[in-house]
Amino acid sequence: MAEIARLTGHREWIDLDFVERERTPESAMALGIQSHVAGLSLSNTVDLLDSLGVQRSRKAVHDWVQKADLQPESG
């Protein structure tokens, strides 16, 4: 149930101050970070973003999560 709350809640807890260039809309970046942190795999997160018309690699999503200083929940 905690995963669902992390997916549906507000995204204010995601700090995007690390963004240096605007290649990806911040809303898509926040969704990608939120989805992966909530437990979606990198591949599935990339597929989700792709369905929204945002094409990014697994490495890009991984880097967003690292730069935002967030980690997916274990288990």
Short mmCIF file of all heavy atoms in Angstrom, two decimals:
data_model
loop_
_atom_site.label_atom_id
_atom_site.label_comp_id
_atom_site.label_asym_id
_atom_site.label_seq_id
_atom_site.Cartn_x
_atom_site.Cartn_y
_atom_site.Cartn_z
N MET A 1 0.81 -1.19 0.00
CA MET A 1 0.00 0.00 0.00
C MET A 1 0.86 1.26 0.00
O MET A 1 0.49 2.26 -0.56
CB MET A 1 -0.94 -0.03 1.19
CG MET A 1 -2.01 1.04 1.10
SD MET A 1 -3.06 0.80 -0.32
CE MET A 1 -4.62 0.68 0.44
N ALA A 2 2.04 1.21 0.63
CA ALA A 2 2.92 2.37 0.66
C ALA A 2 3.37 2.75 -0.75
O ALA A 2 3.52 3.92 -1.07
CB ALA A 2 4.13 2.10 1.53
N GLU A 3 3.57 1.73 -1.63
CA GLU A 3 3.98 2.01 -2.99
C GLU A 3 2.92 2.81 -3.72
O GLU A 3 3.22 3.74 -4.46
CB GLU A 3 4.26 0.71 -3.76
CG GLU A 3 5.46 -0.04 -3.26
CD GLU A 3 5.13 -0.95 -2.09
OE1 GLU A 3 3.93 -1.19 -1.83
OE2 GLU A 3 6.06 -1.41 -1.43
N ILE A 4 1.66 2.47 -3.51
CA ILE A 4 0.57 3.19 -4.17
C ILE A 4 0.53 4.63 -3.68
O ILE A 4 0.36 5.55 -4.47
CB ILE A 4 -0.77 2.47 -3.92
CG1 ILE A 4 -0.76 1.11 -4.64
CG2 ILE A 4 -1.94 3.33 -4.39
CD1 ILE A 4 -1.95 0.24 -4.32
N ALA A 5 0.71 4.85 -2.41
CA ALA A 5 0.71 6.21 -1.86
C ALA A 5 1.85 7.03 -2.47
O ALA A 5 1.67 8.20 -2.78
CB ALA A 5 0.82 6.17 -0.34
N ARG A 6 2.99 6.42 -2.67
CA ARG A 6 4.12 7.14 -3.25
C ARG A 6 3.88 7.44 -4.72
O ARG A 6 4.42 8.40 -5.26
CB ARG A 6 5.41 6.34 -3.10
CG ARG A 6 5.83 6.23 -1.63
CD ARG A 6 7.11 5.52 -1.51
NE ARG A 6 8.17 6.50 -1.68
CZ ARG A 6 9.43 6.30 -1.35
NH1 ARG A 6 9.78 5.16 -0.84
NH2 ARG A 6 10.33 7.22 -1.52
N LEU A 7 3.07 6.63 -5.41
CA LEU A 7 2.78 6.87 -6.82
C LEU A 7 1.70 7.92 -7.01
O LEU A 7 1.72 8.67 -7.98
CB LEU A 7 2.33 5.57 -7.50
CG LEU A 7 3.43 4.63 -7.94
CD1 LEU A 7 2.83 3.31 -8.40
CD2 LEU A 7 4.26 5.25 -9.04
N THR A 8 0.72 7.97 -6.10
CA THR A 8 -0.42 8.85 -6.31
C THR A 8 -0.31 10.16 -5.58
O THR A 8 -1.09 11.07 -5.84
CB THR A 8 -1.72 8.15 -5.86
OG1 THR A 8 -1.62 7.83 -4.48
CG2 THR A 8 -1.99 6.91 -6.68
N GLY A 9 0.63 10.30 -4.67
CA GLY A 9 0.76 11.51 -3.88
C GLY A 9 1.37 12.66 -4.66
O GLY A 9 1.77 12.54 -5.81
N HIS A 10 1.43 13.80 -4.01
CA HIS A 10 2.04 14.97 -4.62
C HIS A 10 3.53 14.76 -4.76
O HIS A 10 4.14 13.95 -4.07
CB HIS A 10 1.76 16.21 -3.76
CG HIS A 10 0.30 16.55 -3.70
ND1 HIS A 10 -0.35 17.13 -4.76
CD2 HIS A 10 -0.61 16.37 -2.74
CE1 HIS A 10 -1.62 17.30 -4.44
NE2 HIS A 10 -1.80 16.83 -3.22
N ARG A 11 4.13 15.51 -5.68
CA ARG A 11 5.55 15.32 -5.98
C ARG A 11 6.44 16.40 -5.38
O ARG A 11 7.58 16.56 -5.77
CB ARG A 11 5.75 15.30 -7.50
CG ARG A 11 5.06 14.14 -8.15
CD ARG A 11 5.39 14.10 -9.63
NE ARG A 11 4.55 13.13 -10.27
CZ ARG A 11 3.67 13.40 -11.21
NH1 ARG A 11 3.53 14.61 -11.64
NH2 ARG A 11 2.94 12.45 -11.72
N GLU A 12 5.93 17.17 -4.42
CA GLU A 12 6.74 18.23 -3.84
C GLU A 12 7.98 17.71 -3.13
O GLU A 12 8.95 18.43 -2.97
CB GLU A 12 5.92 19.09 -2.86
CG GLU A 12 4.91 19.97 -3.53
CD GLU A 12 3.51 19.43 -3.40
OE1 GLU A 12 3.24 18.67 -2.45
OE2 GLU A 12 2.68 19.74 -4.26
N TRP A 13 7.99 16.46 -2.71
CA TRP A 13 9.12 15.88 -2.00
C TRP A 13 10.28 15.57 -2.94
O TRP A 13 11.38 15.29 -2.50
CB TRP A 13 8.70 14.63 -1.24
CG TRP A 13 8.08 13.57 -2.10
CD1 TRP A 13 6.76 13.46 -2.43
CD2 TRP A 13 8.72 12.47 -2.74
NE1 TRP A 13 6.56 12.37 -3.23
CE2 TRP A 13 7.75 11.74 -3.44
CE3 TRP A 13 10.05 12.04 -2.77
CZ2 TRP A 13 8.04 10.60 -4.18
CZ3 TRP A 13 10.33 10.89 -3.52
CH2 TRP A 13 9.33 10.19 -4.20
N ILE A 14 10.06 15.68 -4.25
CA ILE A 14 11.13 15.43 -5.21
C ILE A 14 11.79 16.77 -5.54
O ILE A 14 11.17 17.66 -6.11
CB ILE A 14 10.58 14.78 -6.50
CG1 ILE A 14 9.93 13.43 -6.18
CG2 ILE A 14 11.71 14.60 -7.51
CD1 ILE A 14 9.24 12.78 -7.35
N ASP A 15 13.04 16.92 -5.15
CA ASP A 15 13.79 18.15 -5.37
C ASP A 15 14.50 18.07 -6.72
O ASP A 15 15.41 17.26 -6.90
CB ASP A 15 14.80 18.34 -4.24
CG ASP A 15 15.58 19.62 -4.36
OD1 ASP A 15 15.19 20.48 -5.18
OD2 ASP A 15 16.57 19.78 -3.64
N LEU A 16 14.08 18.91 -7.66
CA LEU A 16 14.67 18.89 -9.00
C LEU A 16 15.67 20.03 -9.20
O LEU A 16 15.94 20.44 -10.32
CB LEU A 16 13.56 18.97 -10.05
CG LEU A 16 12.60 17.78 -10.09
CD1 LEU A 16 11.50 18.00 -11.12
CD2 LEU A 16 13.33 16.49 -10.38
N ASP A 17 16.25 20.52 -8.13
CA ASP A 17 17.22 21.60 -8.24
C ASP A 17 18.49 21.19 -8.98
O ASP A 17 19.25 22.04 -9.42
CB ASP A 17 17.60 22.13 -6.85
CG ASP A 17 16.49 22.94 -6.22
OD1 ASP A 17 15.58 23.39 -6.95
OD2 ASP A 17 16.52 23.12 -4.99
N PHE A 18 18.70 19.89 -9.13
CA PHE A 18 19.89 19.41 -9.82
C PHE A 18 19.79 19.58 -11.33
O PHE A 18 20.79 19.47 -12.04
CB PHE A 18 20.13 17.93 -9.50
CG PHE A 18 19.06 17.02 -10.03
CD1 PHE A 18 19.11 16.52 -11.32
CD2 PHE A 18 17.99 16.66 -9.22
CE1 PHE A 18 18.12 15.68 -11.80
CE2 PHE A 18 17.00 15.82 -9.70
CZ PHE A 18 17.06 15.34 -10.99
N VAL A 19 18.62 19.90 -11.86
CA VAL A 19 18.41 20.00 -13.30
C VAL A 19 19.23 21.17 -13.85
O VAL A 19 19.08 22.30 -13.41
CB VAL A 19 16.92 20.18 -13.64
CG1 VAL A 19 16.73 20.37 -15.14
CG2 VAL A 19 16.12 18.99 -13.14
N GLU A 20 20.10 20.85 -14.81
CA GLU A 20 20.94 21.88 -15.41
C GLU A 20 20.41 22.33 -16.76
O GLU A 20 20.60 23.46 -17.16
CB GLU A 20 22.37 21.35 -15.56
CG GLU A 20 23.04 21.07 -14.23
CD GLU A 20 24.40 20.45 -14.38
OE1 GLU A 20 24.87 20.30 -15.54
OE2 GLU A 20 25.01 20.13 -13.36
N ARG A 21 19.76 21.43 -17.46
CA ARG A 21 19.19 21.80 -18.76
C ARG A 21 17.79 21.23 -18.86
O ARG A 21 17.46 20.22 -18.23
CB ARG A 21 20.07 21.35 -19.90
CG ARG A 21 20.42 19.89 -19.87
CD ARG A 21 21.43 19.56 -20.93
NE ARG A 21 21.86 18.18 -20.73
CZ ARG A 21 22.35 17.43 -21.67
NH1 ARG A 21 22.50 17.89 -22.87
NH2 ARG A 21 22.71 16.20 -21.41
N GLU A 22 17.00 21.85 -19.67
CA GLU A 22 15.57 21.51 -19.76
C GLU A 22 15.28 20.54 -20.90
O GLU A 22 14.38 20.78 -21.69
CB GLU A 22 14.76 22.80 -19.95
CG GLU A 22 14.84 23.75 -18.78
CD GLU A 22 13.95 23.35 -17.63
OE1 GLU A 22 12.91 22.71 -17.89
OE2 GLU A 22 14.29 23.67 -16.49
N ARG A 23 16.02 19.45 -21.00
CA ARG A 23 15.78 18.49 -22.08
C ARG A 23 14.49 17.72 -21.86
O ARG A 23 13.78 17.39 -22.80
CB ARG A 23 16.95 17.52 -22.17
CG ARG A 23 16.78 16.54 -23.30
CD ARG A 23 18.01 15.72 -23.55
NE ARG A 23 17.72 14.80 -24.64
CZ ARG A 23 18.12 13.56 -24.69
NH1 ARG A 23 18.90 13.10 -23.75
NH2 ARG A 23 17.80 12.79 -25.69
N THR A 24 14.18 17.45 -20.61
CA THR A 24 12.99 16.69 -20.24
C THR A 24 12.08 17.59 -19.40
O THR A 24 12.56 18.25 -18.48
CB THR A 24 13.38 15.46 -19.39
OG1 THR A 24 14.35 14.69 -20.12
CG2 THR A 24 12.18 14.60 -19.08
N PRO A 25 10.79 17.62 -19.72
CA PRO A 25 9.88 18.41 -18.88
C PRO A 25 9.96 17.96 -17.42
O PRO A 25 10.05 16.76 -17.14
CB PRO A 25 8.49 18.11 -19.47
CG PRO A 25 8.74 17.61 -20.85
CD PRO A 25 10.09 16.95 -20.81
N GLU A 26 9.95 18.91 -16.50
CA GLU A 26 10.10 18.57 -15.09
C GLU A 26 9.00 17.63 -14.61
O GLU A 26 9.24 16.77 -13.78
CB GLU A 26 10.14 19.83 -14.23
CG GLU A 26 11.46 20.55 -14.32
CD GLU A 26 11.63 21.63 -13.28
OE1 GLU A 26 10.75 21.81 -12.42
OE2 GLU A 26 12.67 22.30 -13.32
N SER A 27 7.78 17.78 -15.15
CA SER A 27 6.69 16.89 -14.73
C SER A 27 6.98 15.44 -15.12
O SER A 27 6.70 14.51 -14.36
CB SER A 27 5.36 17.35 -15.31
OG SER A 27 5.41 17.37 -16.73
N ALA A 28 7.57 15.24 -16.31
CA ALA A 28 7.91 13.88 -16.75
C ALA A 28 9.07 13.33 -15.92
O ALA A 28 9.08 12.15 -15.55
CB ALA A 28 8.26 13.88 -18.24
N MET A 29 10.04 14.19 -15.62
CA MET A 29 11.17 13.77 -14.80
C MET A 29 10.69 13.38 -13.40
O MET A 29 11.09 12.34 -12.87
CB MET A 29 12.19 14.91 -14.71
CG MET A 29 13.51 14.51 -14.13
SD MET A 29 14.71 15.85 -14.08
CE MET A 29 14.92 16.19 -15.81
N ALA A 30 9.81 14.18 -12.82
CA ALA A 30 9.29 13.87 -11.49
C ALA A 30 8.49 12.57 -11.51
O ALA A 30 8.61 11.75 -10.60
CB ALA A 30 8.42 15.02 -10.97
N LEU A 31 7.70 12.35 -12.57
CA LEU A 31 6.95 11.11 -12.68
C LEU A 31 7.89 9.92 -12.79
O LEU A 31 7.66 8.88 -12.16
CB LEU A 31 6.01 11.15 -13.89
CG LEU A 31 5.23 9.87 -14.16
CD1 LEU A 31 4.29 9.54 -13.00
CD2 LEU A 31 4.46 9.98 -15.47
N GLY A 32 8.94 10.05 -13.58
CA GLY A 32 9.90 8.97 -13.72
C GLY A 32 10.58 8.65 -12.40
O GLY A 32 10.71 7.48 -12.02
N ILE A 33 11.00 9.68 -11.68
CA ILE A 33 11.64 9.48 -10.37
C ILE A 33 10.65 8.84 -9.41
O ILE A 33 10.96 7.85 -8.74
CB ILE A 33 12.17 10.81 -9.81
CG1 ILE A 33 13.33 11.32 -10.66
CG2 ILE A 33 12.59 10.65 -8.35
CD1 ILE A 33 13.74 12.75 -10.34
N GLN A 34 9.46 9.39 -9.35
CA GLN A 34 8.44 8.89 -8.42
C GLN A 34 8.11 7.43 -8.71
O GLN A 34 8.01 6.61 -7.79
CB GLN A 34 7.19 9.75 -8.52
CG GLN A 34 6.11 9.39 -7.54
CD GLN A 34 4.91 10.33 -7.66
OE1 GLN A 34 4.70 10.93 -8.70
NE2 GLN A 34 4.15 10.44 -6.60
N SER A 35 7.96 7.09 -9.97
CA SER A 35 7.61 5.71 -10.36
C SER A 35 8.72 4.74 -9.98
O SER A 35 8.45 3.66 -9.44
CB SER A 35 7.34 5.64 -11.86
OG SER A 35 6.26 6.46 -12.20
N HIS A 36 9.96 5.12 -10.26
CA HIS A 36 11.07 4.21 -9.95
C HIS A 36 11.26 4.07 -8.44
O HIS A 36 11.49 2.96 -7.94
CB HIS A 36 12.35 4.67 -10.63
CG HIS A 36 13.49 3.73 -10.42
ND1 HIS A 36 13.43 2.40 -10.80
CD2 HIS A 36 14.69 3.91 -9.87
CE1 HIS A 36 14.56 1.81 -10.48
NE2 HIS A 36 15.36 2.71 -9.91
N VAL A 37 11.17 5.17 -7.72
CA VAL A 37 11.33 5.11 -6.27
C VAL A 37 10.23 4.26 -5.63
O VAL A 37 10.45 3.58 -4.64
CB VAL A 37 11.37 6.54 -5.67
CG1 VAL A 37 11.25 6.51 -4.17
CG2 VAL A 37 12.66 7.24 -6.08
N ALA A 38 9.05 4.28 -6.24
CA ALA A 38 7.93 3.51 -5.71
C ALA A 38 8.05 2.02 -6.03
O ALA A 38 7.28 1.21 -5.52
CB ALA A 38 6.60 4.04 -6.24
N GLY A 39 9.03 1.65 -6.87
CA GLY A 39 9.25 0.23 -7.10
C GLY A 39 9.16 -0.22 -8.54
O GLY A 39 9.41 -1.39 -8.85
N LEU A 40 8.81 0.66 -9.47
CA LEU A 40 8.76 0.29 -10.87
C LEU A 40 10.20 0.12 -11.37
O LEU A 40 11.08 0.91 -11.01
CB LEU A 40 8.06 1.40 -11.67
CG LEU A 40 7.36 1.05 -12.96
CD1 LEU A 40 6.28 -0.02 -12.73
CD2 LEU A 40 6.73 2.28 -13.58
N SER A 41 10.44 -0.90 -12.16
CA SER A 41 11.80 -1.12 -12.66
C SER A 41 12.20 0.02 -13.60
O SER A 41 11.35 0.77 -14.10
CB SER A 41 11.87 -2.45 -13.43
OG SER A 41 11.15 -2.34 -14.65
N LEU A 42 13.49 0.14 -13.84
CA LEU A 42 13.95 1.16 -14.77
C LEU A 42 13.35 0.96 -16.16
O LEU A 42 12.92 1.92 -16.80
CB LEU A 42 15.48 1.16 -14.85
CG LEU A 42 16.21 1.77 -13.66
CD1 LEU A 42 17.70 1.49 -13.75
CD2 LEU A 42 15.94 3.25 -13.55
N SER A 43 13.30 -0.29 -16.61
CA SER A 43 12.73 -0.57 -17.93
C SER A 43 11.26 -0.18 -18.01
O SER A 43 10.81 0.43 -18.99
CB SER A 43 12.88 -2.06 -18.28
OG SER A 43 14.24 -2.39 -18.43
N ASN A 44 10.51 -0.53 -16.97
CA ASN A 44 9.09 -0.18 -16.97
C ASN A 44 8.88 1.32 -16.82
O ASN A 44 7.93 1.87 -17.37
CB ASN A 44 8.35 -0.94 -15.86
CG ASN A 44 8.20 -2.40 -16.19
OD1 ASN A 44 8.26 -2.81 -17.35
ND2 ASN A 44 8.03 -3.22 -15.17
N THR A 45 9.76 1.99 -16.09
CA THR A 45 9.68 3.44 -15.96
C THR A 45 9.93 4.09 -17.31
O THR A 45 9.22 5.02 -17.71
CB THR A 45 10.68 3.95 -14.91
OG1 THR A 45 10.38 3.34 -13.66
CG2 THR A 45 10.61 5.46 -14.77
N VAL A 46 10.92 3.59 -18.05
CA VAL A 46 11.21 4.10 -19.38
C VAL A 46 10.02 3.87 -20.31
O VAL A 46 9.64 4.75 -21.09
CB VAL A 46 12.50 3.45 -19.94
CG1 VAL A 46 12.65 3.70 -21.43
CG2 VAL A 46 13.71 3.96 -19.19
N ASP A 47 9.39 2.69 -20.21
CA ASP A 47 8.20 2.40 -21.02
C ASP A 47 7.06 3.35 -20.68
O ASP A 47 6.34 3.81 -21.57
CB ASP A 47 7.74 0.95 -20.82
CG ASP A 47 8.69 -0.06 -21.45
OD1 ASP A 47 9.52 0.34 -22.30
OD2 ASP A 47 8.59 -1.25 -21.09
N LEU A 48 6.88 3.64 -19.39
CA LEU A 48 5.84 4.58 -18.96
C LEU A 48 6.08 5.96 -19.57
O LEU A 48 5.17 6.57 -20.14
CB LEU A 48 5.81 4.67 -17.44
CG LEU A 48 4.92 5.76 -16.84
CD1 LEU A 48 3.45 5.46 -17.12
CD2 LEU A 48 5.16 5.90 -15.35
N LEU A 49 7.31 6.44 -19.46
CA LEU A 49 7.64 7.75 -20.03
C LEU A 49 7.47 7.75 -21.55
O LEU A 49 6.98 8.73 -22.12
CB LEU A 49 9.07 8.15 -19.66
CG LEU A 49 9.31 8.43 -18.18
CD1 LEU A 49 10.80 8.65 -17.92
CD2 LEU A 49 8.50 9.61 -17.70
N ASP A 50 7.86 6.65 -22.19
CA ASP A 50 7.72 6.53 -23.63
C ASP A 50 6.26 6.62 -24.05
O ASP A 50 5.93 7.24 -25.07
CB ASP A 50 8.35 5.23 -24.12
CG ASP A 50 8.48 5.17 -25.63
OD1 ASP A 50 8.94 6.17 -26.22
OD2 ASP A 50 8.12 4.13 -26.21
N SER A 51 5.37 6.03 -23.25
CA SER A 51 3.94 6.09 -23.57
C SER A 51 3.40 7.52 -23.49
O SER A 51 2.37 7.84 -24.06
CB SER A 51 3.14 5.17 -22.65
OG SER A 51 3.08 5.69 -21.34
N LEU A 52 4.14 8.38 -22.78
CA LEU A 52 3.78 9.79 -22.67
C LEU A 52 4.51 10.65 -23.70
O LEU A 52 4.38 11.87 -23.70
CB LEU A 52 4.09 10.31 -21.26
CG LEU A 52 3.36 9.61 -20.12
CD1 LEU A 52 3.89 10.09 -18.78
CD2 LEU A 52 1.87 9.83 -20.23
N GLY A 53 5.29 10.00 -24.55
CA GLY A 53 6.02 10.72 -25.59
C GLY A 53 7.37 11.24 -25.16
O GLY A 53 7.97 12.06 -25.85
N VAL A 54 7.87 10.78 -24.03
CA VAL A 54 9.18 11.19 -23.52
C VAL A 54 10.12 10.01 -23.64
O VAL A 54 9.96 9.02 -22.93
CB VAL A 54 9.09 11.67 -22.05
CG1 VAL A 54 10.46 12.04 -21.52
CG2 VAL A 54 8.12 12.82 -21.92
N GLN A 55 11.08 10.09 -24.55
CA GLN A 55 12.00 8.99 -24.77
C GLN A 55 13.31 9.25 -24.04
O GLN A 55 14.07 10.14 -24.40
CB GLN A 55 12.25 8.80 -26.26
CG GLN A 55 10.99 8.41 -27.00
CD GLN A 55 11.24 8.22 -28.48
OE1 GLN A 55 12.18 8.75 -29.03
NE2 GLN A 55 10.37 7.45 -29.11
N ARG A 56 13.56 8.46 -23.01
CA ARG A 56 14.78 8.56 -22.22
C ARG A 56 15.29 7.14 -21.94
O ARG A 56 14.53 6.18 -21.91
CB ARG A 56 14.54 9.28 -20.89
CG ARG A 56 14.15 10.73 -21.03
CD ARG A 56 15.28 11.55 -21.67
NE ARG A 56 14.87 12.90 -21.96
CZ ARG A 56 14.40 13.31 -23.13
NH1 ARG A 56 14.30 12.49 -24.15
NH2 ARG A 56 14.05 14.57 -23.31
N SER A 57 16.57 7.03 -21.70
CA SER A 57 17.18 5.73 -21.44
C SER A 57 17.04 5.37 -19.96
O SER A 57 16.75 6.22 -19.11
CB SER A 57 18.67 5.78 -21.80
OG SER A 57 19.34 6.68 -20.93
N ARG A 58 17.28 4.09 -19.67
CA ARG A 58 17.30 3.65 -18.27
C ARG A 58 18.38 4.39 -17.51
O ARG A 58 18.21 4.75 -16.35
CB ARG A 58 17.53 2.13 -18.19
CG ARG A 58 16.37 1.32 -18.71
CD ARG A 58 16.63 -0.15 -18.53
NE ARG A 58 17.95 -0.51 -19.00
CZ ARG A 58 18.23 -1.56 -19.73
NH1 ARG A 58 17.28 -2.40 -20.06
NH2 ARG A 58 19.45 -1.82 -20.11
N LYS A 59 19.51 4.62 -18.15
CA LYS A 59 20.62 5.36 -17.50
C LYS A 59 20.18 6.76 -17.12
O LYS A 59 20.50 7.24 -16.04
CB LYS A 59 21.82 5.41 -18.45
CG LYS A 59 22.93 6.34 -18.00
CD LYS A 59 24.05 5.58 -17.36
CE LYS A 59 25.27 6.44 -17.11
NZ LYS A 59 25.27 7.17 -15.89
N ALA A 60 19.43 7.43 -17.98
CA ALA A 60 18.96 8.78 -17.68
C ALA A 60 18.06 8.77 -16.45
O ALA A 60 18.22 9.60 -15.54
CB ALA A 60 18.22 9.37 -18.88
N VAL A 61 17.13 7.83 -16.39
CA VAL A 61 16.23 7.74 -15.24
C VAL A 61 17.03 7.42 -13.98
O VAL A 61 16.81 8.02 -12.92
CB VAL A 61 15.11 6.70 -15.48
CG1 VAL A 61 14.26 6.52 -14.24
CG2 VAL A 61 14.24 7.10 -16.67
N HIS A 62 17.95 6.49 -14.08
CA HIS A 62 18.80 6.13 -12.94
C HIS A 62 19.57 7.37 -12.45
O HIS A 62 19.65 7.61 -11.25
CB HIS A 62 19.78 5.03 -13.34
CG HIS A 62 20.71 4.63 -12.26
ND1 HIS A 62 21.96 5.17 -12.12
CD2 HIS A 62 20.57 3.75 -11.24
CE1 HIS A 62 22.55 4.65 -11.07
NE2 HIS A 62 21.73 3.78 -10.52
N ASP A 63 20.12 8.13 -13.38
CA ASP A 63 20.85 9.34 -13.00
C ASP A 63 19.95 10.36 -12.31
O ASP A 63 20.37 11.02 -11.36
CB ASP A 63 21.51 9.97 -14.23
CG ASP A 63 22.69 9.17 -14.75
OD1 ASP A 63 23.14 8.24 -14.04
OD2 ASP A 63 23.14 9.46 -15.87
N TRP A 64 18.70 10.50 -12.77
CA TRP A 64 17.76 11.43 -12.12
C TRP A 64 17.58 11.03 -10.67
O TRP A 64 17.61 11.88 -9.78
CB TRP A 64 16.39 11.41 -12.79
CG TRP A 64 16.33 11.85 -14.21
CD1 TRP A 64 17.26 12.56 -14.91
CD2 TRP A 64 15.27 11.59 -15.11
NE1 TRP A 64 16.83 12.75 -16.19
CE2 TRP A 64 15.62 12.17 -16.35
CE3 TRP A 64 14.06 10.90 -15.02
CZ2 TRP A 64 14.79 12.11 -17.47
CZ3 TRP A 64 13.23 10.84 -16.12
CH2 TRP A 64 13.59 11.44 -17.33
N VAL A 65 17.35 9.73 -10.43
CA VAL A 65 17.12 9.24 -9.07
C VAL A 65 18.35 9.49 -8.21
O VAL A 65 18.24 9.94 -7.07
CB VAL A 65 16.72 7.75 -9.08
CG1 VAL A 65 16.64 7.20 -7.66
CG2 VAL A 65 15.39 7.55 -9.81
N GLN A 66 19.53 9.22 -8.76
CA GLN A 66 20.78 9.44 -8.02
C GLN A 66 20.99 10.92 -7.69
O GLN A 66 21.32 11.28 -6.58
CB GLN A 66 21.98 8.92 -8.82
CG GLN A 66 21.98 7.42 -9.01
CD GLN A 66 22.14 6.66 -7.73
OE1 GLN A 66 23.00 6.98 -6.93
NE2 GLN A 66 21.30 5.67 -7.52
N LYS A 67 20.77 11.77 -8.68
CA LYS A 67 20.98 13.21 -8.49
C LYS A 67 19.95 13.82 -7.54
O LYS A 67 20.24 14.78 -6.86
CB LYS A 67 20.96 13.94 -9.82
CG LYS A 67 22.19 13.65 -10.67
CD LYS A 67 22.12 14.35 -11.99
CE LYS A 67 23.33 14.04 -12.84
NZ LYS A 67 23.23 14.66 -14.18
N ALA A 68 18.75 13.24 -7.52
CA ALA A 68 17.73 13.72 -6.60
C ALA A 68 17.98 13.17 -5.19
O ALA A 68 17.25 13.49 -4.26
CB ALA A 68 16.35 13.31 -7.08
N ASP A 69 19.01 12.33 -5.06
CA ASP A 69 19.40 11.73 -3.80
C ASP A 69 18.27 10.87 -3.20
O ASP A 69 17.98 10.92 -2.01
CB ASP A 69 19.85 12.79 -2.79
CG ASP A 69 20.70 12.21 -1.66
OD1 ASP A 69 21.30 11.14 -1.88
OD2 ASP A 69 20.72 12.81 -0.58
N LEU A 70 17.63 10.10 -4.09
CA LEU A 70 16.55 9.20 -3.68
C LEU A 70 16.90 7.79 -4.12
O LEU A 70 17.59 7.60 -5.12
CB LEU A 70 15.22 9.62 -4.32
CG LEU A 70 14.74 11.03 -3.97
CD1 LEU A 70 13.57 11.40 -4.86
CD2 LEU A 70 14.33 11.08 -2.52
N GLN A 71 16.43 6.81 -3.42
CA GLN A 71 16.65 5.41 -3.76
C GLN A 71 15.33 4.68 -3.69
O GLN A 71 14.49 4.99 -2.84
CB GLN A 71 17.64 4.76 -2.78
CG GLN A 71 19.02 5.36 -2.83
CD GLN A 71 19.70 5.14 -4.16
OE1 GLN A 71 19.61 4.09 -4.76
NE2 GLN A 71 20.38 6.17 -4.65
N PRO A 72 15.12 3.69 -4.58
CA PRO A 72 13.90 2.88 -4.47
C PRO A 72 13.87 2.14 -3.14
O PRO A 72 14.92 1.80 -2.58
CB PRO A 72 14.04 1.88 -5.62
CG PRO A 72 15.05 2.46 -6.54
CD PRO A 72 15.95 3.32 -5.70
N GLU A 73 12.66 1.89 -2.65
CA GLU A 73 12.52 1.12 -1.43
C GLU A 73 12.94 -0.31 -1.70
O GLU A 73 12.62 -0.87 -2.75
CB GLU A 73 11.07 1.13 -0.94
CG GLU A 73 10.64 2.47 -0.38
CD GLU A 73 9.24 2.40 0.22
OE1 GLU A 73 8.52 1.43 -0.06
OE2 GLU A 73 8.90 3.33 0.93
N SER A 74 13.64 -0.93 -0.78
CA SER A 74 14.07 -2.30 -0.97
C SER A 74 12.95 -3.25 -0.59
O SER A 74 12.07 -2.93 0.17
CB SER A 74 15.31 -2.59 -0.13
OG SER A 74 15.00 -2.41 1.24
N GLY A 75 13.03 -4.46 -1.18
CA GLY A 75 12.08 -5.49 -0.82
C GLY A 75 10.88 -5.49 -1.66
O GLY A 75 9.97 -6.18 -1.54
#
